[in-house]
Amino acid sequence: MSDCLFCKIVSGEIPATKVYEDETVLAFRDIAPQAPVHVLVIPKVHIPSAAAITQENSAVVAHCFEVIAQIAAAEGLDNGFRVVSNCGPHAGQTVSHLHFHVLGGRQLALEMA
Ligand code: 5GP
Ligand code: ZN
């Protein structure tokens, strides 16, 4: 997707502070962190949102969660963390490339909505 912000981060066209990268998954620090640790974990392939996960592309989503566990350990989130994926307008998704927010480093509010 040529006009996708996160595809541009994957290609290197837009810089990001990377914390993890392999052939299929990239993780980088959110530009506007909402917690002491706020990392975005994305598949390198363009998947628009959680609503577009299928049997064909779900292996990379599983891999995202393996990476999330590694990042949480590396960032010292031993007291816990939250994984969030906003999907569509009602959830406030602002970047249409599947991403998992990993938030931690302080006590997080209990509200889900
Ligand atoms: P959403 O609102 O779609 O769930 O999350 C998009 C996230 O991307 C937001 O938390 C926002 O701060 C982050 N973001 C937007 N633009 C950039 C950018 O250029 N670089 C980085 N690292 N994060 C960004
Ligand atoms: Zn994209």
Side-chain angles (χ1 to χ4, degrees):
M1 287 286 286
S2 54
D3 63 347
C4 170
L5 175 66
F6 287 174
C7 282
K8 287 179 180 169
I9 288 178
V10 169
S11 71
E13 197 179 326
I14 290 174
T17 306
K18 297 177 183 178
V19 298
Y20 177 91
E21 182 168 20
D22 65 25
E23 281 181 9
T24 58
V25 170
L26 177 66
F28 51 94
R29 298 201 188 277
D30 196 291
I31 204 167
Q34 305 295 309
V37 175
H38 187 171
V39 172
L40 300 173
V41 179
I42 70 170
K44 287 188 170 180
V45 65
H46 183 85
I47 299 173
S49 76
I53 298 169
T54 64
Q55 233 176 359
E56 283 67 43
N57 64 23
S58 62
V60 73
V61 178
H63 187 44
C64 282
F65 277 82
E66 294 170 350
V67 169
I68 286 168
Q70 287 180 38
I71 290 171
E75 296 284 331
L77 302 181
D78 304 330
N79 289 322
F81 58 93
R82 181 169 292 156
V83 182
V84 175
S85 189
N86 295 316
C87 179
H90 272 187
Q93 183 180 7
T94 59
V95 180
S96 294
H97 181 127
L98 178 63
H99 52 282
F100 297 101
H101 298 259
V102 179
L103 298 150
R106 65 165 165 79
Q107 184 63 52
L108 299 167
L110 290 176
E111 289 79 20
M112 289 292 286

